[in-house]
Amino acid sequence: MAQSLLDDDGVSNPSRGVHLQEVVDRSLAVDPGRRRLMLGGLGAAALPFLGMLSACGGGDSDSEEPERMLGFTAVAAASGDAVVVPAGYVATAILPWGEPINANGPAWKSDASNTAVEQELQVGDNHDGIHFFGFNSTGNGPGERSDEGLLVFNHEYVNLEYLYAITSDTDPANWLLPFTLEKARKAQAAHGVTVAHVRRKSDGSWEHVKSSPYNRRIHGNTPITIQGPAAGHPLMRTAADPTGTEVLGTLNNCGNGWTPWGTYLTCEENFNGYFGWNGDRTPTALESRYGITKDGFGYLWHTVDPRFDVNANPNEPNRFGWIVEIDPFSPASKPVKRTALGRFKHENAAYSISPDGKVVVYMGCDERNEYIYKFVSSGTFDKSQPYSSANRRLLESGTLYVARFDAGAKAGDRMGTGVWIPLVPSTIGVDGKALRDNPNFAAASDAEVQALILIKARQAADAVGATMMDRPEWVAVNPKNPGNVYVTLTNNNRRGSSPASSNKPDGTTVAGSARPPVDEANPRANNVWGHIVRWTEAGNNPAATSFEWDIFVLAGQPSVTGDRAPTSNINANNLFNSPDGLAFDAFGRLWIQTDGSFSNTGDFAGMGNNQMLAADPVTKEIRRFLVGPSGCEVTGVTWTPDRKTMFVNIQHPGELGSHPNRPKNPDGSTFTDNQIARNPTAFSQWPTPGARPRSATVVIRRTDGGVIGG
């Protein structure tokens, strides 16, 4: 069990009940202003606190036991091919890659011989961000039901070694060859988003309602509207779309978000990897800044599909890297790319609402030395009519900001202040010039300048001196305080290396190539373990332009001392690396998911497979809740409104990497991807014994029917 961190007064509470001190601490965490009341004398402050205790049932032996922040026994690290959850919990896989999306969809073929057309009617690959939308009481729209709803989830990429069948003409040296347009289309169809109607059965398990009209696939060739300030700009136009207002597909759908008006946000991350070029080309500064290279990530699409050949379609990459809004309750509706939120490698999108009704969306750009952003809407949210058409237009326009993290008054205390810098034409860059006068954004009008700023958001952030972070991943807003925000910084092995360099203000740095020095918010060189930073907006207002920040946890090995040591809330029982997924449940419990090394040796000894942990935001205690199967990433989490069911995605089970159990040849060498493609069950068979591994959603519930985690 993870060691509990106690406060300075040494208050401990071995019982299952809630101690008065914990009630006090949590009250102060939600409303720091109450601390002044405490300092003014306990007499005045004790009454509301005692009232909370009464509400929790502290003096009534017949009342229901209060929910605890970490009310489960931690699980041990593991390297097996199974999902591990605490005692008293059950975990069941549903909706794996290849499952028919509706009653008319084709069955999944275990030899991977399904066609591209069939894949368009099946659940996609490599599940990622996810959200449960409960139905309303009549079952025809969004509501608060916990027994039935729509499960919407992303498909980030594909594992090529498992996606394609081996046939008589497969090249013995490379299972991908000969590569064909059919293969490219199948991979494109396995990307995107799935909308699945799910329902809880009488025994507590869940089923996919395949007869439902809400079931839907959105994939790499689905028509999508381009909307917002960048729509129609010349850099968004192609021969196939001369207006720059419609694109085929959404790709590399990583994390997600959702809105209070009932829509789903899917985030396009490493879109650059699908593009390449045939023949010769000198990449532009914009292409290099976003990581466009000759061969991409090896998908080979550009060799058979001209849309992904940058020589043939130089503007096509500009049409990816956006946040896409989807209405899951309207199956015939067209998804929309919201360009006002900027173009970069979006990880997720976490919303908050300011006191005056502005919708704020926090976002991270997931690459080494990239930035943290937020969008503040121009319009205001009408909470009295949450599903109104006016609310559904709130992401059409607003201001995009980028964060600068400044050191505090005391060096080395790993806390400080920060500012949000508006990415608008009038903002003065580090060169002393307004962005409208920067050559990267020069245009005839401020409207066109703004479009260029959004298309080239990374270069705009370079120009204004934003803080380079250690791979910003998921952002999560504390439901108990909408101005309190957390972000995972997964790792950065280039931090602090030589020769030192930073992203150039002129926007010409090749993506991920800088080697910035350590700073207060990114305090470790060769940060292979990652950390979590949190901030509180001025006045607890999400729309504020300044904030105070500190480090919540530095992951790592407790045996390491000095500048690379982890924080004191890391111990032998909760080791992890590379925090990635991040989410709060409605109780205020913080859930941390990992996507890092599963080698279980060296720097990563004792960490096992990727995992999910729960954390107490007040005490900072962290406890391991789940371990995933071999070779996987644990990513994406959501709950039913009653929090008695949790849905977690398992991505890329069976990915060989550096796993200690990866299969070996007689000479001791480890399998290559070419070998695993021909022996797809040799490493992992999760979740179906005897079959090749498949990404899937895990349904977690308590055997006693209680809330998850409490």
Side-chain angles (χ1 to χ4, degrees):
M1 181 179 294
Q3 179 182 349
S4 176
L5 294 183
L6 306 179
D7 61 22
D8 291 339
D9 295 324
V11 176
S12 62
N13 180 24
S15 73
R16 289 173 61 87
V18 180
H19 195 287
L20 173 59
Q21 183 65 44
E22 183 175 350
V23 177
V24 172
D25 289 343
R26 298 193 189 288
S27 180
L28 293 176
V30 174
D31 184 3
R34 295 189 181 186
R35 187 173 301 276
R36 293 189 297 273
L37 183 59
M38 286 291 291
L39 292 175
L42 179 61
L47 290 175
F49 291 138
L50 290 174
M52 291 179 194
L53 266 185
S54 177
C56 291
D60 184 355
S61 60
D62 295 327
S63 63
E64 184 176 334
E65 183 179 287
E67 183 173 352
R68 294 168 296 154
M69 183 59 71
L70 300 178
F72 61 90
T73 301
V75 300
S79 294
D81 195 31
V83 171
V84 180
V85 292
Y89 286 80
V90 292
T92 307
I94 64 170
L95 296 165
W97 160 52
E99 175 171 317
I101 191 62
N102 56 40
N104 298 318
W108 179 71
K109 297 177 181 179
S110 61
D111 64 355
S113 61
N114 285 109
T115 66
V117 171
E118 289 174 331
Q119 178 62 76
E120 291 182 357
L121 299 173
Q122 297 171 327
V123 172
D125 196 10
N126 280 342
H127 302 27
D128 206 308
I130 186 170
H131 189 73
F132 177 84
F133 292 88
F135 277 122
N136 58 22
S137 59
T138 55
N140 63 357
E144 294 299 316
R145 283 177 59 181
S146 291
D147 62 332
E148 191 168 3
L150 302 181
L151 205 56
V152 189
F153 51 101
N154 292 346
H155 304 291
E156 184 179 6
Y157 66 104
V158 294
N159 280 96
L160 299 172
E161 66 271 31
Y162 296 118
L163 184 70
Y164 300 124
I166 301 298
T167 64
S168 58
D169 67 341
T170 301
D171 188 323
N174 186 341
W175 83 102
L176 289 177
L177 302 180
F179 197 73
T180 63
L181 181 60
E182 164 67 16
K183 288 182 176 178
R185 290 283 188 262
K186 182 176 181 181
Q188 291 162 11
H191 286 70
V193 176
T194 288
V195 180
H197 184 160
V198 294
R199 180 171 57 208
R200 186 165 58 201
K201 297 193 291 185
S202 59
D203 64 358
S205 64
W206 286 75
E207 63 180 346
H208 177 195
V209 185
K210 292 184 180 179
S211 61
S212 170
Y214 291 106
N215 293 315
R216 182 184 187 189
R217 276 300 320 283
I218 296 162
H219 50 73
N221 285 290
T222 300
I224 296 177
T225 296
I226 301 172
Q227 182 279 328
H233 188 275
L235 285 178
M236 301 290 281
R237 300 172 190 166
T238 65
D241 174 30
T243 66
T245 57
E246 182 181 82
V247 62
L248 292 181
T250 178
L251 298 171
N252 211 260
N253 305 84
C254 191
N256 70 296
W258 57 279
T259 69
W261 48 89
T263 61
Y264 182 80
L265 304 178
T266 184
C267 303
E268 298 180 328
E269 190 193 20
N270 293 309
F271 64 89
N272 57 304
Y274 305 104
F275 293 92
W277 57 82
N278 302 304
D280 297 325
R281 180 181 185 83
T282 300
T284 66
L286 177 60
E287 291 165 356
S288 292
R289 189 67 186 85
Y290 280 81
I292 307 294
T293 61
K294 178 176 174 58
D295 296 319
F297 290 172
Y299 286 97
L300 302 179
W301 295 359
H302 68 283
T303 67
V304 294
D305 188 344
R307 186 157 71 102
F308 296 92
D309 179 353
V310 184
N311 273 337
N313 284 288
N315 284 349
E316 189 69 17
N318 301 333
R319 294 147 64 84
F320 293 87
W322 304 99
I323 284 181
V324 185
E325 186 171 15
I326 299 166
D327 184 352
F329 291 96
S330 179
S333 63
K334 194 173 180 181
V336 180
K337 295 198 178 187
R338 298 294 191 187
T339 66
L341 280 71
R343 173 176 171 263
F344 43 89
K345 293 186 178 182
H346 285 276
E347 182 67 20
N348 85 315
Y351 89 87
S352 191
I353 298 179
S354 69
D356 63 354
K358 301 291 186 182
V359 174
V360 178
V361 181
Y362 294 97
M363 303 163 286
C365 179
D366 181 11
E367 191 160 18
R368 288 172 295 198
N369 315 316
E370 291 302 332
Y371 308 112
I372 297 171
Y373 300 81
K374 78 173 178 182
F375 165 86
V376 180
S377 66
S378 298
T380 57
F381 177 68
D382 181 357
K383 63 182 180 181
S384 68
Q385 302 183 70
Y387 308 122
S388 69
S389 58
N391 283 342
R392 288 171 175 261
R393 299 188 61 184
L394 287 173
L395 300 185
E396 292 185 1
S397 64
T399 301
L400 183 67
Y401 295 82
V402 68
R404 190 184 75 220
F405 289 77
D406 298 326
K410 183 180 178 181
D413 62 359
R414 296 173 176 173
M415 61 179 61
T417 59
V419 296
W420 291 103
I421 305 169
L423 297 179
V424 297
S426 60
T427 295
I428 304 300
V430 295
D431 62 358
K433 299 178 181 178
L435 289 181
R436 65 167 61 93
D437 299 321
N438 184 308
N440 284 324
F441 316 109
S445 68
D446 272 1
E448 193 172 357
V449 170
Q450 188 62 56
L452 287 168
I453 287 172
L454 295 170
I455 296 168
K456 304 178 180 183
R458 282 185 167 185
Q459 291 169 302
D462 295 341
V464 300
T467 299
M468 293 179 288
M469 307 296 286
D470 286 352
R471 280 190 63 191
E473 297 260 16
W474 290 61
V475 186
V477 177
N478 189 336
K480 303 299 183 182
N481 181 350
N484 184 225
V485 188
Y486 291 62
V487 64
T488 49
L489 302 170
T490 199
N491 55 53
N492 188 353
N493 61 3
R494 293 184 176 175
R495 174 75 61 179
S497 60
S498 297
S501 62
S502 297
N503 292 338
K504 298 177 183 178
D506 65 3
T508 60
T509 303
V510 174
S513 66
R515 289 169 168 77
V518 298
D519 57 42
E520 288 288 310
N522 304 273
R524 291 193 298 200
N526 188 28
N527 183 17
V528 297
W529 296 302
H531 60 295
I532 297 175
V533 168
R534 62 183 176 182
W535 65 88
T536 299
E537 302 277 19
N540 290 318
N541 182 355
T545 55
S546 62
F547 56 89
E548 295 182 348
W549 65 267
D550 71 339
I551 290 178
F552 179 72
V553 62
L554 288 162
Q557 293 284 359
S559 59
V560 173
T561 59
D563 293 339
R564 299 188 69 236
T567 44
S568 60
N569 49 345
I570 296 297
N571 58 67
N573 295 316
N574 66 1
L575 298 177
F576 68 93
N577 74 88
S578 303
D580 189 335
L582 194 71
F584 279 96
D585 62 27
F587 187 68
R589 199 177 284 108
L590 181 65
W591 297 87
I592 304 166
Q593 300 171 313
T594 70
D595 177 24
S597 174
F598 37 63
S599 67
N600 207 34
T601 188
D603 283 340
F604 310 106
M607 298 181 182
N609 290 345
N610 279 305
Q611 58 189 277
M612 182 167 70
L613 312 98
D616 185 328
V618 177
T619 68
K620 298 186 180 180
E621 181 185 353
I622 299 173
R623 198 177 293 185
R624 186 183 296 114
F625 179 83
L626 175 150
V627 178
S630 300
C632 83
E633 169 188 352
V634 180
T635 179
V637 59
T638 188
W639 300 263
T640 52
D642 63 10
R643 292 188 288 112
K644 294 183 178 181
T645 303
M646 169 192 275
F647 302 93
V648 176
N649 277 335
I650 299 296
Q651 184 183 109
H652 62 72
E655 198 165 271
L656 293 175
S658 57
H659 200 279
N661 298 333
R662 62 194 185 279
K664 295 184 178 181
N665 294 299
D667 64 2
S669 62
T670 57
F671 266 35
T672 63
D673 283 345
N674 190 47
Q675 288 177 291
I676 203 71
R678 299 166 195 278
N679 301 276
T681 61
F683 178 35
S684 173
Q685 298 177 20
W686 190 89
T688 308
R692 67 185 61 215
R694 297 193 279 169
S695 294
T697 298
V698 175
V699 182
I700 300 170
R701 53 195 174 89
R702 277 172 54 170
T703 55
D704 66 1
V707 297
I708 303 295

